Amino acid sequence: MTLSAAQRIELPGSSILAGAGLLQQAGAAAASLAPAHAYVVVTDTNVAPLWLEPLVQSLERHGGGRVLTRVVPAGERHKTRETWSAITDWMLAEGCGRDTTVVALGGGVIGDLAGFTAATYLRGVNVIQVPTTLLAMVDAAIGGKTGVDTPAGKNLVGAFHPPAAVLIDPEVLGTLPPRELRGGFAEVLKHGAISDAAAFDEAARFAASLRARERTAAEWSDGAVVSLIARSAAIKADVVRADPLERSRRQILNAGHTVAHAVELASEYTAAHGEAVSIGLVTESAAGERAGVTAPGTAARLAAALAGAGLPTTIPRELDVDRVMTAMGTDKKNRRGQVRFALLAEVGRMAGNDAEGWTTALEEPLVREVLSAAVAPADPAPNERESGAAARR
Ligand SMILES: NC(=O)c1ccc[n+]([C@@H]2O[C@H](COP(=O)([O-])OP(=O)(O)OC[C@H]3O[C@@H](n4cnc5c(N)ncnc54)[C@H](O)[C@@H]3O)[C@@H](O)[C@H]2O)c1
Ligand SMILES: [Zn+2]
């Protein structure tokens, strides 16, 4: 594939390119979109053995600068100021100047961490995002939010720093663990649900086909797959373009996320983000239906698509609804006895608008009732099953 053959989405200051084999074109893309004397590639211990070499080779051949690499331990718990300071100290020791481009090769953790490094290093150098998870391709790598976690909470120290380029190469999804892939589909389906019913249906069909059988690495370079991912990335880009600093419209990206964040917190992060988003999309829509904001049948349509993608749509029994409610109280979207949600009007369209706001306040008792009704039904315990059988006899 040549660079000019890649699908292209433009944001102010950012070019988003999507194409199979784009990783091998990273050097040429960097030279044209964020040329530098030094490229600092930041990646993690899972991604490095899989995808670092072709990227570095391309940068060395065509980037026109020296290439340095930094591999950090994989995982959210390393998205910290400590990791950030280790990287920046090392870059300073290596003599990296303002003509450095940081290249983030990895999922959202690396994207946020390396993006924040670029945002702060010498008051800001270019970053190129090379997302390697589905979530990062359609969500984290797009829109310029960067940051690290602190003991007080996730993403609390950060900066807006739009990437000079985002290079999306779906071939790298061939090595992504299935749970991570499913989690990415929660966001892909969310993007369809908030703005494009046809994209929603297309993503639902694709996710269901993936569950039916594993896709080979080569199949990830299929044009239809590239288009599906590019379309989802474009939905996020459209929202970001309209509201880069999250003052209004960008809140629609929080659909499903008020409940999701509470489920993550209440489960002590044993529920993966995508799983929590899936539960959140269904339960928030059910609450929206009860409040007369969301069209009847929306929650069921979402649940069918998400379940088809292998995602949970009910609240796990071991999760206490009280704890989820409490966790929502600590959510910054909460106001006095009410909780605010970015609700759908129907699949493909949001409730709300720029004038009155994109979130809707719902009364706490209604939310509690909907969440209680969404707790997964119990498998009958063995003794109950027996007594049931005895009663029938
Ligand atoms: N900046 C934003 O706008 C934004 C938006 C959404 C999420 N985020 C952030 O993104 C992070 C979550 O991102 P994520 O889900 O990509 O998690 P992640 O970066 O931790 O990646 C998930 C796992 O997959 C591994 N991995 C990545 N690519 C792989 C590949 N191609 N093959 C095999 N393994 C691979 C990683 O090493 C990791 O173990 C969170 O920190 C979240 O806060 C940021
Ligand atoms: Zn999310």
Side-chain angles (χ1 to χ4, degrees):
M1 195 208 63
T2 59
L3 268 191
S4 53
Q7 298 198 35
R8 227 178 154 112
I9 303 156
E10 295 294 340
L11 276 178
S14 283
S15 294
I16 302 162
L17 272 58
L22 204 52
L23 198 73
Q24 278 88 13
Q25 303 288 324
S32 87
L33 297 166
H37 281 113
Y39 295 98
V40 171
V41 183
V42 180
T43 189
D44 74 24
T45 43
N46 291 335
V47 178
L50 298 167
W51 301 107
L52 182 57
E53 198 183 301
L55 177 76
V56 166
Q57 271 186 12
S58 174
L59 284 169
E60 280 173 344
R61 281 198 199 134
H62 305 289
R66 150 170 106 109
V67 181
L68 293 85
T69 61
R70 180 87 182 181
V71 181
V72 305
E76 182 78 32
R77 64 193 180 85
H78 299 284
K79 200 179 102 176
T80 59
R81 285 168 293 191
E82 287 70 30
T83 311
W84 164 82
S85 69
I87 299 172
T88 48
D89 284 345
W90 164 77
M91 286 171 66
L92 291 166
E94 287 287 342
C96 296
R98 289 205 41 78
D99 49 2
T100 298
T101 290
V102 174
V103 181
L105 174 71
V109 165
I110 288 296
D112 280 6
L113 174 71
F116 185 59
T117 301
T120 47
Y121 189 74
L122 302 179
R123 299 199 183 85
V125 298
N126 276 330
V127 62
I128 297 176
Q129 295 282 353
V130 186
T132 62
T133 63
L134 181 57
L135 176 134
M137 289 176 184
V138 304
D139 188 357
I142 294 162
K145 279 201 209 174
T146 73
V148 292
D149 303 334
T150 80
K154 282 184 66 177
N155 301 322
L156 293 181
V157 172
F160 281 97
H161 189 63
V166 182
L167 307 179
I168 299 173
D169 182 350
E171 279 181 8
V172 302
L173 297 177
T175 59
L176 192 65
R179 193 181 185 193
E180 302 296 341
L181 200 56
R182 287 196 294 272
F185 272 107
E187 306 287 358
V188 173
L189 288 166
K190 179 197 79 179
H191 285 165
I194 65 174
S195 75
D196 185 339
F200 176 85
D201 289 333
E202 191 193 344
R205 272 195 302 275
F206 183 77
S209 81
L210 261 188
R211 278 200 81 208
R213 65 177 179 83
E214 219 166 283
R215 216 157 248 266
T216 63
E219 284 176 289
W220 281 105
S221 43
D222 187 271
V225 178
V226 179
S227 294
L228 183 97
I229 294 170
R231 190 168 182 183
S232 189
I235 291 173
K236 170 136 188 200
D238 284 342
V239 176
V240 169
R241 193 180 296 114
D243 178 21
L245 299 180
E246 201 170 350
R247 300 263 153 77
S248 60
R249 198 183 142 84
R250 194 161 168 171
Q251 289 167 0
I252 70 175
L253 297 170
N254 285 331
H257 278 60
T258 305
V259 168
H261 289 148
V263 166
E264 286 183 278
L265 201 61
S267 76
E268 286 161 2
Y269 292 94
T270 55
H273 180 69
E275 292 163 5
V277 169
S278 177
I279 295 165
L281 284 168
V282 175
T283 52
E284 290 185 17
S285 296
E289 288 183 32
R290 285 278 301 275
V293 176
T294 304
T298 303
R301 188 168 164 197
L302 290 171
L306 291 158
L311 288 157
T313 57
T314 56
I315 296 181
R317 285 196 69 73
E318 59 278 13
L319 254 195
D320 187 21
V321 169
D322 282 334
R323 280 177 64 196
V324 178
M325 289 303 295
T326 310
M328 240 182 298
T330 64
D331 191 283
K332 53 189 180 284
K333 294 159 209 94
N334 182 40
R335 314 249 191 302
R336 282 169 268 120
Q338 298 183 321
V339 191
R340 298 196 75 87
F341 298 92
L343 295 176
L344 304 184
E346 61 183 332
V347 170
R349 190 167 61 89
M350 290 302 286
N353 54 51
D354 268 328
E356 283 149 50
W358 290 97
T359 59
T360 308
L362 298 182
E363 298 297 330
E364 207 192 292
L366 182 152
V367 177
R368 180 182 295 274
E369 227 176 276
V370 169
L371 290 185
S372 303
V375 173
D379 291 332
N383 54 351
E384 279 172 24
R385 235 180 277 147
E386 262 166 40
S387 61
R392 275 194 297 279
R393 270 203 296 270

